[in-house]
Amino acid sequence: MNYFISGMLYYRLSGIEIVEVKRLKLFKQHQVACKIATLKYNNYMHVNLPVYDLQDADVVNLYDYFQQAEKVTEPATVITDLNVDKSFTQEQPDEITFIFKQADVQRLEIKVFAAEEFGHTFVKNQVRSINYFDRFEHKIRCETFDTRGFLSLSQTFGQNGGINQEIFYTPSGERAIICDYAQNDEQQVAMSSVRVNYQNHWYVFSDLIELRSFFLDCLNQEAQLQAKFFSDKSNIGDAAMLGMKTKAVKIVVRHSTHTYDPTAPLTSRLNDVILNQFNNRQSLSAAIVSTAQQTKDMQIRFNHELPFYTIPVAYVDNALLQKAPVLLKQRKRHTILAVARINEEKRIEQMIDALSKVRKTVADATLEIYGYVPNSTYLKTLQEKAAALQLTNAVLFQQFQPDLTDVYNEMPILILTSAFESFNMSLLEGIAHGVVPIAYDINYGPATIIDNEKNGYLIKNGDSHALAEKIVNLLTDDALLQQMSTQAYRKAAEFAADHVWQLWQEKIINNSELKAK
């Protein structure tokens, strides 16, 4: 069994989770057992899965596992199932909120799921959460219900609002996990103890890291100690994997650069995640990196003391490669695409600078940016910059979309201005749909996907003038743009699913040299 470790599968997945989903589908196509192992709690997880064509059986979540909630058959809890004190008066300020008062003092706030959320239809007035208040209207308890209908979590709070205890329940109401909190030496509320009921025995841990390691040990034991673990989300997966008591093949997957200065991969200080991997390299079986150049650089930094394998994190479906190309005349004119989360390292302000220069020649050029927004302050800065350059109607921040197929098929050009990458899945997705990429020549990824001046352009890092110049070249020369689009389709074939699967077989699945650690 192969486990791809992550934090949680939210509705808006980051690139790392999207990579895990695609890898899972590739493994399943070839009948190789695998699951995504998520370590965080979220009562919406099972509603999110269908958005990415996943089933419950594709994911094993730590909390589901110990709560015995991997399969839930109990009916959903609705508001009429609750035994609310009949002396309370009821108010309903909106469709999903019910307030209950006692002598004008709020004692309960019940939230129900909306009729439809994330494409999922809920039972009418299905309970989402209940907040309890004391006579001073201090919140003293919160109960959270899983989207599948059962009471999943209760939290109790002290007078200062700090959390005292969390209890996670099985669908039948038995306690499964208990987390206690207390003030630490800095007078901050911190987790002081974790207890979990596993196979009718209570185990005690100091923190969530120990619980997560225990969870992975349980999975490994179920696989007769033959499981392979892949830590994709290093900030949560590495510690859990390295803390395991049982031996297993333990692989870290790199999704970004490895140094604080991405322009100095052999001399700059290793970032904290990579430094931890370096210090624990004897406890790891291998590392996977997307590009040959980063593999070479990291082997040097790790003194060749950890096996590194080059496998692209993404691939192009064979069926997509067989589809008829979308011609330039079928695409939007003078439109530039960017696919990036709204964060500073993506340097989207340089895209806006380039557009301002482009519009001096191509007056109706527009920029459409697709990506979720983890940094609203940065988004506001970008919007203000666009307004200052009189580009408010030309720079369009579009809503997050799980599937960008239709977007790629109508766009002619894709640009990338990141300060660093490890591969960049959007570039590959773009060329697979015939979109011509223009990217800064950074570490790592663009040079692997773009053959300069053939299927796209590689620009000197940070040179927005050159970026604008190449955009103008393409937007004013239909023949050149069509020629490069054709070459983009051809380049995508190098990342065909069949080819990437061969790499997985050779380097990981059939590799007898991988050692359990």
Side-chain angles (χ1 to χ4, degrees), residues 262-424:
T263 67
L266 297 179
T267 56
S268 177
R269 184 163 63 95
L270 295 174
N271 66 44
D272 291 344
V273 167
I274 299 301
L275 182 60
N276 181 60
Q277 293 174 357
F278 176 80
N279 291 336
N280 290 281
R281 60 194 182 280
Q282 301 303 328
S283 299
L284 296 172
S285 304
I288 294 174
V289 183
S290 287
T291 66
Q293 185 59 54
Q294 190 174 17
T295 296
K296 179 180 178 181
D297 291 344
M298 292 193 72
Q299 283 176 327
I300 294 171
R301 296 303 299 265
F302 275 67
N303 303 324
H304 297 274
E305 294 175 354
L306 177 68
F308 279 82
Y309 298 104
T310 306
I311 306 176
V313 292
Y315 59 87
V316 181
D317 286 316
N318 298 323
L320 178 57
L321 292 171
Q322 302 303 317
K323 289 188 176 182
V326 178
L327 299 179
L328 179 60
K329 63 183 180 181
Q330 298 171 275
R331 299 178 186 269
K332 290 183 177 180
R333 287 190 59 80
H334 300 167
T335 306
I336 305 157
L337 171 65
V339 180
R341 68 180 180 275
I342 310 302
N343 235 348
E344 283 93 339
E345 70 268 18
K346 301 302 181 181
R347 299 191 293 192
I348 296 170
E349 68 278 1
Q350 296 192 23
M351 298 182 187
I352 298 174
D353 283 333
L355 178 66
S356 179
K357 298 178 178 69
V358 168
R359 283 171 66 92
K360 293 178 181 178
T361 304
V362 185
D364 63 342
T366 58
L367 171 64
E368 294 191 23
I369 304 169
Y370 288 81
Y372 72 98
V373 185
N375 189 334
S376 57
T377 301
Y378 182 53
L379 173 61
K380 183 179 179 181
T381 299
L382 295 173
Q383 291 170 330
E384 290 173 349
K385 181 179 183 67
L389 293 172
Q390 297 183 329
L391 296 174
T392 298
N393 295 325
V395 178
L396 308 176
F397 294 92
Q398 306 288 18
Q399 293 292 325
F400 171 85
Q401 293 187 26
D403 185 354
L404 290 173
T405 298
D406 291 341
V407 174
Y408 286 125
N409 281 335
E410 66 182 11
M411 294 293 180
I413 297 172
L414 170 69
I415 61 174
L416 178 76
T417 54
S418 300
F420 55 87
E421 295 284 351
S422 67
F423 184 76
N424 194 266

Side-chain angles (χ1 to χ4, degrees), residues 111-374:
K111 292 277 190 179
V112 299
F113 292 101
E116 182 176 334
E117 295 185 46
F118 307 131
H120 179 82
T121 301
F122 287 93
V123 174
K124 182 176 175 60
N125 288 337
Q126 181 178 330
V127 178
R128 189 182 79 187
S129 65
I130 308 174
N131 288 319
Y132 296 81
F133 301 87
D134 64 16
R135 65 190 181 94
F136 304 109
E137 295 194 339
H138 298 140
K139 185 165 75 171
I140 57 175
R141 180 180 173 88
C142 176
E143 294 178 345
T144 299
F145 288 72
D146 190 279
T147 53
R148 293 167 293 172
F150 67 98
L151 172 61
S152 179
L153 164 65
S154 68
Q155 299 167 299
T156 55
F157 303 91
Q159 287 186 341
N160 60 358
I163 189 168
N164 289 336
Q165 189 179 69
E166 293 177 319
I167 302 177
F168 298 84
Y169 302 92
T170 67
S172 61
E174 299 296 322
R175 296 182 303 170
I177 303 172
I178 302 174
C179 302
D180 293 301
Y181 293 80
Q183 285 191 340
N184 58 20
D185 293 339
E186 288 76 34
Q187 302 302 304
Q188 296 175 330
V189 175
M191 189 174 292
S192 59
S193 174
V194 182
R195 290 169 282 167
V196 61
N197 186 354
Y198 178 62
Q199 296 182 344
N200 295 319
H201 182 83
W202 283 95
Y203 294 83
V204 180
F205 305 101
S206 298
D207 53 34
L208 287 179
I209 293 176
E210 292 184 1
L211 174 62
R212 291 164 180 166
S213 297
F214 178 69
F215 168 58
L216 299 184
D217 279 324
C218 292
L219 296 179
N220 193 29
Q221 288 168 342
E222 287 185 359
Q224 287 77 50
L225 304 180
Q226 297 298 310
K228 291 185 179 76
F229 294 92
F230 300 81
S231 177
D232 284 284
K233 206 78 168 182
S234 293
N235 61 344
I236 186 172
D238 285 8
M241 193 170 68
L242 290 168
M244 292 173 62
K245 304 297 184 185
T246 59
K247 286 189 175 182
V249 172
K250 301 168 185 173
I251 300 172
V252 290
V253 185
R254 192 67 196 137
H255 292 276
S256 186
T257 51
H258 52 276
T259 55
Y260 279 102
D261 180 357
T263 67
L266 297 179
T267 56
S268 177
R269 184 163 63 95
L270 295 174
N271 66 44
D272 291 344
V273 167
I274 299 301
L275 182 60
N276 181 60
Q277 293 174 357
F278 176 80
N279 291 336
N280 290 281
R281 60 194 182 280
Q282 301 303 328
S283 299
L284 296 172
S285 304
I288 294 174
V289 183
S290 287
T291 66
Q293 185 59 54
Q294 190 174 17
T295 296
K296 179 180 178 181
D297 291 344
M298 292 193 72
Q299 283 176 327
I300 294 171
R301 296 303 299 265
F302 275 67
N303 303 324
H304 297 274
E305 294 175 354
L306 177 68
F308 279 82
Y309 298 104
T310 306
I311 306 176
V313 292
Y315 59 87
V316 181
D317 286 316
N318 298 323
L320 178 57
L321 292 171
Q322 302 303 317
K323 289 188 176 182
V326 178
L327 299 179
L328 179 60
K329 63 183 180 181
Q330 298 171 275
R331 299 178 186 269
K332 290 183 177 180
R333 287 190 59 80
H334 300 167
T335 306
I336 305 157
L337 171 65
V339 180
R341 68 180 180 275
I342 310 302
N343 235 348
E344 283 93 339
E345 70 268 18
K346 301 302 181 181
R347 299 191 293 192
I348 296 170
E349 68 278 1
Q350 296 192 23
M351 298 182 187
I352 298 174
D353 283 333
L355 178 66
S356 179
K357 298 178 178 69
V358 168
R359 283 171 66 92
K360 293 178 181 178
T361 304
V362 185
D364 63 342
T366 58
L367 171 64
E368 294 191 23
I369 304 169
Y370 288 81
Y372 72 98
V373 185

